[in-house]
Amino acid sequence: MIKERKTIPYGRQEITEEDVRAVVETLQSDFLTQGPKIAEFEKRFAGYTGAKYAVAVSNGTAALHLAGLALNVQPGDKVITSPNTFAASANGFRYCGADIQFVDIDPDTYNLDFQKVKLLLEAHPKGTFRGIVAVDFAGYPVDLEKFKSLADEYGLFLVEDACHAPGGYFINSKKQQVSCGSGEYADLSVFSFHPVKHIAAGEGGMLTTNSLSLYEKLMRMRTHGITKSLEILRENHGGWYYEMQELGYNYRITDIQATLGMSQLERAEVGLSKRKEIAKRYDEAFSVGKIKTPCVAGEVSHAYHLYVIQTKDRKGLYDYLRTHQIFAQVHYIPVHLMPYYRNLGWKKGDCPVAEEYYEYCLSLPMYPTLTTEEQDFVIEKVLEFLSA
Ligand SMILES: *Cc1c(COP(=O)(O)O)cnc(C)c1O
């Protein structure tokens, strides 16, 4: 009898007994939402990234929208981002009415191309652009020190979309490790706790910052713009009194999700080293042949949310792997070529590097519970296809 093989997805969450116990405990507590677990999760997450403040929200997209609101992005503001990302990196600012400016990617790191951003800024009068949203694509940390000095020169804000990169870091010019989300250079960093990301909470997101004023604004805006803070109340009628001073949203996370996120955060470093081991085994297996493996420059610690290869017959390989129950995935269809952004004037040829990359890229299975046997099977099938 042929043994039925389990499907192998490109990414998946791990839920342990401890996770289940922790969540059940919260379910049986007094608070399902707006209780103590949220603040505890924020404190621990801030500790993990090294940032002063963290604000937990309902998902990563809400975090990006709040980033735009907190930075006072207005209709027509030109915000620069990468086309090689999930649409939310652009959409969060588009919700504020921003005019999204896609700038092409670096052919090695697949992140926003620093030189191209610099050239774009130099080609326009100061004040033309409002900000930069840099994405740590696949977990490869952006050199935020470089982007920060450029942002300062042109009076721009700098947001890091670190959804792929919790635990990653780059080395700055002073030879220090700068963690993704540390608040050292970016005004705000954004994370997601969707199950396919490093830390799963069902749904969930987080912003980190070193700015007290941004932190306070985010805390108000995630719950309708409501405040009870005595220093800023215009009146005070008693203990029940609050004011809605700005138009905010309900972007709150629940205590249930915060508990799961916190329990997962405990294992984040273990998961990260497992991801690095998996990447190393893929790197070795594909060191010779017709595959381009991810760039591993010495100045970063890659967080390997994704393991992306590039190969000529990408569609053939994708289909072949599927016939063996291996569900590789493609990251990303360039955002500027989505019909919505095409309707705003973007077209093929605007970001040729990201477009060419898209023709060849494929994300192979990458998650901490991927077994050696499963990975060997993936490698075997990839090599089999390429040698056919
Ligand atoms: C997942 C993701 C988001 C959005 O996060 P959600 O929690 O799914 O809303 C934003 N940016 C990037 C790069 C992501 O991978």
Side-chain angles (χ1 to χ4, degrees), residues 59-61 64 85-86 88-89 135 161 163-164 192-194 197 203-204 332:
N59 56 66
T61 308
L64 286 153
T85 183
F86 183 56
S89 310
V135 183
D161 182 339
C163 287
H164 293 184
S192 164
F193 306 125
H194 182 276
K197 309 295 163 72
E203 294 276 0
Y332 284 101

PDB file of all heavy atoms in Angstrom, residues 59-61 64 85-86 88-89 135 161 163-164 192-194 197 203-204 332, ligand 1:
ATOM      1  N   ASN A  59      -4.463  43.747  13.127  1.00  0.00           N
ATOM      2  CA  ASN A  59      -3.693  43.040  12.084  1.00  0.00           C
ATOM      3  C   ASN A  59      -2.602  43.961  11.536  1.00  0.00           C
ATOM      4  O   ASN A  59      -2.551  45.147  11.887  1.00  0.00           O
ATOM      5  CB  ASN A  59      -4.600  42.513  10.957  1.00  0.00           C
ATOM      6  CG  ASN A  59      -5.441  43.603  10.326  1.00  0.00           C
ATOM      7  OD1 ASN A  59      -4.913  44.514   9.693  1.00  0.00           O
ATOM      8  ND2 ASN A  59      -6.745  43.540  10.525  1.00  0.00           N
ATOM      9  N   GLY A  60      -1.760  43.411  10.669  1.00  0.00           N
ATOM     10  CA  GLY A  60      -0.643  44.190  10.133  1.00  0.00           C
ATOM     11  C   GLY A  60      -1.100  45.323   9.231  1.00  0.00           C
ATOM     12  O   GLY A  60      -0.467  46.387   9.174  1.00  0.00           O
ATOM     13  N   THR A  61      -2.187  45.103   8.513  1.00  0.00           N
ATOM     14  CA  THR A  61      -2.711  46.136   7.625  1.00  0.00           C
ATOM     15  C   THR A  61      -3.229  47.328   8.427  1.00  0.00           C
ATOM     16  O   THR A  61      -2.976  48.490   8.064  1.00  0.00           O
ATOM     17  CB  THR A  61      -3.833  45.546   6.733  1.00  0.00           C
ATOM     18  OG1 THR A  61      -3.332  44.363   6.105  1.00  0.00           O
ATOM     19  CG2 THR A  61      -4.300  46.532   5.696  1.00  0.00           C
ATOM     20  N   LEU A  64      -0.367  49.365   9.447  1.00  0.00           N
ATOM     21  CA  LEU A  64       0.127  50.252   8.389  1.00  0.00           C
ATOM     22  C   LEU A  64      -0.781  51.464   8.223  1.00  0.00           C
ATOM     23  O   LEU A  64      -0.302  52.581   8.030  1.00  0.00           O
ATOM     24  CB  LEU A  64       0.249  49.476   7.075  1.00  0.00           C
ATOM     25  CG  LEU A  64       1.442  48.515   7.040  1.00  0.00           C
ATOM     26  CD1 LEU A  64       1.201  47.342   6.107  1.00  0.00           C
ATOM     27  CD2 LEU A  64       2.722  49.267   6.652  1.00  0.00           C
ATOM     28  N   THR A  85       6.087  43.376  -2.568  1.00  0.00           N
ATOM     29  CA  THR A  85       5.580  43.234  -1.211  1.00  0.00           C
ATOM     30  C   THR A  85       4.123  42.842  -1.286  1.00  0.00           C
ATOM     31  O   THR A  85       3.533  42.794  -2.373  1.00  0.00           O
ATOM     32  CB  THR A  85       5.756  44.553  -0.429  1.00  0.00           C
ATOM     33  OG1 THR A  85       5.307  44.361   0.924  1.00  0.00           O
ATOM     34  CG2 THR A  85       4.937  45.691  -1.051  1.00  0.00           C
ATOM     35  N   PHE A  86       3.555  42.545  -0.125  1.00  0.00           N
ATOM     36  CA  PHE A  86       2.118  42.330  -0.062  1.00  0.00           C
ATOM     37  C   PHE A  86       1.441  43.698  -0.219  1.00  0.00           C
ATOM     38  O   PHE A  86       1.962  44.704   0.263  1.00  0.00           O
ATOM     39  CB  PHE A  86       1.744  41.684   1.275  1.00  0.00           C
ATOM     40  CG  PHE A  86       0.286  41.363   1.388  1.00  0.00           C
ATOM     41  CD1 PHE A  86      -0.337  40.562   0.438  1.00  0.00           C
ATOM     42  CD2 PHE A  86      -0.461  41.846   2.441  1.00  0.00           C
ATOM     43  CE1 PHE A  86      -1.687  40.271   0.537  1.00  0.00           C
ATOM     44  CE2 PHE A  86      -1.812  41.548   2.546  1.00  0.00           C
ATOM     45  CZ  PHE A  86      -2.433  40.758   1.603  1.00  0.00           C
ATOM     46  N   ALA A  88      -0.678  45.331   1.168  1.00  0.00           N
ATOM     47  CA  ALA A  88      -0.959  46.130   2.366  1.00  0.00           C
ATOM     48  C   ALA A  88       0.091  47.220   2.623  1.00  0.00           C
ATOM     49  O   ALA A  88      -0.245  48.278   3.168  1.00  0.00           O
ATOM     50  CB  ALA A  88      -1.054  45.223   3.592  1.00  0.00           C
ATOM     51  N   SER A  89       1.360  46.976   2.224  1.00  0.00           N
ATOM     52  CA  SER A  89       2.414  47.983   2.466  1.00  0.00           C
ATOM     53  C   SER A  89       2.046  49.303   1.817  1.00  0.00           C
ATOM     54  O   SER A  89       2.321  50.378   2.357  1.00  0.00           O
ATOM     55  CB  SER A  89       3.762  47.528   1.902  1.00  0.00           C
ATOM     56  OG  SER A  89       4.084  46.230   2.305  1.00  0.00           O
ATOM     57  N   VAL A 135      10.410  47.775   3.034  1.00  0.00           N
ATOM     58  CA  VAL A 135       9.929  46.441   3.429  1.00  0.00           C
ATOM     59  C   VAL A 135      11.125  45.497   3.560  1.00  0.00           C
ATOM     60  O   VAL A 135      11.941  45.411   2.639  1.00  0.00           O
ATOM     61  CB  VAL A 135       8.951  45.883   2.373  1.00  0.00           C
ATOM     62  CG1 VAL A 135       8.385  44.536   2.803  1.00  0.00           C
ATOM     63  CG2 VAL A 135       7.833  46.883   2.074  1.00  0.00           C
ATOM     64  N   ASP A 161       8.276  48.248   7.098  1.00  0.00           N
ATOM     65  CA  ASP A 161       7.336  47.130   7.116  1.00  0.00           C
ATOM     66  C   ASP A 161       8.163  45.896   7.432  1.00  0.00           C
ATOM     67  O   ASP A 161       8.817  45.329   6.551  1.00  0.00           O
ATOM     68  CB  ASP A 161       6.605  47.004   5.778  1.00  0.00           C
ATOM     69  CG  ASP A 161       5.574  45.867   5.787  1.00  0.00           C
ATOM     70  OD1 ASP A 161       5.706  44.956   6.630  1.00  0.00           O
ATOM     71  OD2 ASP A 161       4.657  45.900   4.949  1.00  0.00           O
ATOM     72  N   CYS A 163       7.045  43.028   8.666  1.00  0.00           N
ATOM     73  CA  CYS A 163       6.162  41.861   8.813  1.00  0.00           C
ATOM     74  C   CYS A 163       6.892  40.542   8.551  1.00  0.00           C
ATOM     75  O   CYS A 163       6.531  39.515   9.098  1.00  0.00           O
ATOM     76  CB  CYS A 163       4.968  41.986   7.876  1.00  0.00           C
ATOM     77  SG  CYS A 163       3.775  43.230   8.409  1.00  0.00           S
ATOM     78  N   HIS A 164       7.940  40.581   7.716  1.00  0.00           N
ATOM     79  CA  HIS A 164       8.676  39.350   7.394  1.00  0.00           C
ATOM     80  C   HIS A 164       9.886  39.143   8.302  1.00  0.00           C
ATOM     81  O   HIS A 164      10.583  38.148   8.138  1.00  0.00           O
ATOM     82  CB  HIS A 164       9.213  39.412   5.956  1.00  0.00           C
ATOM     83  CG  HIS A 164       8.159  39.401   4.905  1.00  0.00           C
ATOM     84  ND1 HIS A 164       8.457  39.373   3.561  1.00  0.00           N
ATOM     85  CD2 HIS A 164       6.810  39.402   4.989  1.00  0.00           C
ATOM     86  CE1 HIS A 164       7.326  39.372   2.851  1.00  0.00           C
ATOM     87  NE2 HIS A 164       6.324  39.405   3.704  1.00  0.00           N
ATOM     88  N   SER A 192       3.158  41.768  11.609  1.00  0.00           N
ATOM     89  CA  SER A 192       1.894  41.045  11.469  1.00  0.00           C
ATOM     90  C   SER A 192       1.995  39.719  12.216  1.00  0.00           C
ATOM     91  O   SER A 192       3.067  39.089  12.235  1.00  0.00           O
ATOM     92  CB  SER A 192       1.619  40.764   9.992  1.00  0.00           C
ATOM     93  OG  SER A 192       0.628  39.763   9.841  1.00  0.00           O
ATOM     94  N   PHE A 193       0.876  39.296  12.789  1.00  0.00           N
ATOM     95  CA  PHE A 193       0.832  37.988  13.469  1.00  0.00           C
ATOM     96  C   PHE A 193      -0.151  37.047  12.793  1.00  0.00           C
ATOM     97  O   PHE A 193      -0.778  36.208  13.423  1.00  0.00           O
ATOM     98  CB  PHE A 193       0.500  38.182  14.962  1.00  0.00           C
ATOM     99  CG  PHE A 193       1.429  39.147  15.647  1.00  0.00           C
ATOM    100  CD1 PHE A 193       0.938  40.245  16.335  1.00  0.00           C
ATOM    101  CD2 PHE A 193       2.804  38.974  15.572  1.00  0.00           C
ATOM    102  CE1 PHE A 193       1.795  41.156  16.947  1.00  0.00           C
ATOM    103  CE2 PHE A 193       3.671  39.878  16.163  1.00  0.00           C
ATOM    104  CZ  PHE A 193       3.167  40.974  16.854  1.00  0.00           C
ATOM    105  N   HIS A 194      -0.277  37.225  11.471  1.00  0.00           N
ATOM    106  CA  HIS A 194      -1.025  36.272  10.649  1.00  0.00           C
ATOM    107  C   HIS A 194      -0.316  34.907  10.766  1.00  0.00           C
ATOM    108  O   HIS A 194       0.910  34.870  10.867  1.00  0.00           O
ATOM    109  CB  HIS A 194      -1.030  36.773   9.195  1.00  0.00           C
ATOM    110  CG  HIS A 194      -1.805  35.900   8.275  1.00  0.00           C
ATOM    111  ND1 HIS A 194      -1.265  34.764   7.696  1.00  0.00           N
ATOM    112  CD2 HIS A 194      -3.078  35.973   7.838  1.00  0.00           C
ATOM    113  CE1 HIS A 194      -2.184  34.185   6.945  1.00  0.00           C
ATOM    114  NE2 HIS A 194      -3.288  34.906   7.013  1.00  0.00           N
ATOM    115  N   LYS A 197       3.122  34.145   9.295  1.00  0.00           N
ATOM    116  CA  LYS A 197       4.292  34.913   9.739  1.00  0.00           C
ATOM    117  C   LYS A 197       5.000  34.194  10.907  1.00  0.00           C
ATOM    118  O   LYS A 197       4.537  33.157  11.363  1.00  0.00           O
ATOM    119  CB  LYS A 197       3.879  36.321  10.157  1.00  0.00           C
ATOM    120  CG  LYS A 197       3.022  37.059   9.122  1.00  0.00           C
ATOM    121  CD  LYS A 197       3.770  37.355   7.822  1.00  0.00           C
ATOM    122  CE  LYS A 197       2.848  37.689   6.677  1.00  0.00           C
ATOM    123  NZ  LYS A 197       2.189  38.981   6.747  1.00  0.00           N
ATOM    124  N   GLU A 203      -5.120  36.513  14.019  1.00  0.00           N
ATOM    125  CA  GLU A 203      -4.886  37.795  13.338  1.00  0.00           C
ATOM    126  C   GLU A 203      -4.223  38.677  14.383  1.00  0.00           C
ATOM    127  O   GLU A 203      -4.432  38.496  15.576  1.00  0.00           O
ATOM    128  CB  GLU A 203      -6.192  38.451  12.884  1.00  0.00           C
ATOM    129  CG  GLU A 203      -6.964  37.709  11.805  1.00  0.00           C
ATOM    130  CD  GLU A 203      -6.492  38.004  10.381  1.00  0.00           C
ATOM    131  OE1 GLU A 203      -5.548  38.805  10.197  1.00  0.00           O
ATOM    132  OE2 GLU A 203      -7.068  37.404   9.466  1.00  0.00           O
ATOM    133  N   GLY A 204      -3.467  39.647  13.932  1.00  0.00           N
ATOM    134  CA  GLY A 204      -2.847  40.555  14.895  1.00  0.00           C
ATOM    135  C   GLY A 204      -1.747  41.352  14.243  1.00  0.00           C
ATOM    136  O   GLY A 204      -1.249  40.976  13.168  1.00  0.00           O
ATOM    137  N   TYR A 332       6.473  38.312  -4.960  1.00  0.00           N
ATOM    138  CA  TYR A 332       5.111  38.743  -5.084  1.00  0.00           C
ATOM    139  C   TYR A 332       4.801  39.119  -6.523  1.00  0.00           C
ATOM    140  O   TYR A 332       5.705  39.509  -7.255  1.00  0.00           O
ATOM    141  CB  TYR A 332       4.894  40.002  -4.235  1.00  0.00           C
ATOM    142  CG  TYR A 332       4.785  39.710  -2.752  1.00  0.00           C
ATOM    143  CD1 TYR A 332       5.879  39.929  -1.916  1.00  0.00           C
ATOM    144  CD2 TYR A 332       3.593  39.231  -2.203  1.00  0.00           C
ATOM    145  CE1 TYR A 332       5.771  39.674  -0.555  1.00  0.00           C
ATOM    146  CE2 TYR A 332       3.497  38.992  -0.835  1.00  0.00           C
ATOM    147  CZ  TYR A 332       4.577  39.195  -0.029  1.00  0.00           C
ATOM    148  OH  TYR A 332       4.498  38.935   1.307  1.00  0.00           O
TER     149      TYR A 332
HETATM  150  C1  LIG B   1       1.373  40.005   6.060  1.00  0.00           C
HETATM  151  C2  LIG B   1       1.881  41.285   5.601  1.00  0.00           C
HETATM  152  C3  LIG B   1       1.192  42.492   5.826  1.00  0.00           C
HETATM  153  C4  LIG B   1      -0.215  42.550   6.356  1.00  0.00           C
HETATM  154  O1  LIG B   1      -0.428  41.927   7.548  1.00  0.00           O
HETATM  155  P1  LIG B   1      -1.888  41.377   7.918  1.00  0.00           P
HETATM  156  O2  LIG B   1      -1.726  41.014   9.370  1.00  0.00           O
HETATM  157  O3  LIG B   1      -2.162  40.191   7.046  1.00  0.00           O
HETATM  158  O4  LIG B   1      -2.860  42.477   7.724  1.00  0.00           O
HETATM  159  C5  LIG B   1       1.806  43.670   5.438  1.00  0.00           C
HETATM  160  N1  LIG B   1       3.022  43.688   4.854  1.00  0.00           N
HETATM  161  C6  LIG B   1       3.692  42.552   4.608  1.00  0.00           C
HETATM  162  C7  LIG B   1       5.047  42.656   3.977  1.00  0.00           C
HETATM  163  C8  LIG B   1       3.155  41.315   4.957  1.00  0.00           C
HETATM  164  O5  LIG B   1       3.813  40.193   4.677  1.00  0.00           O
END
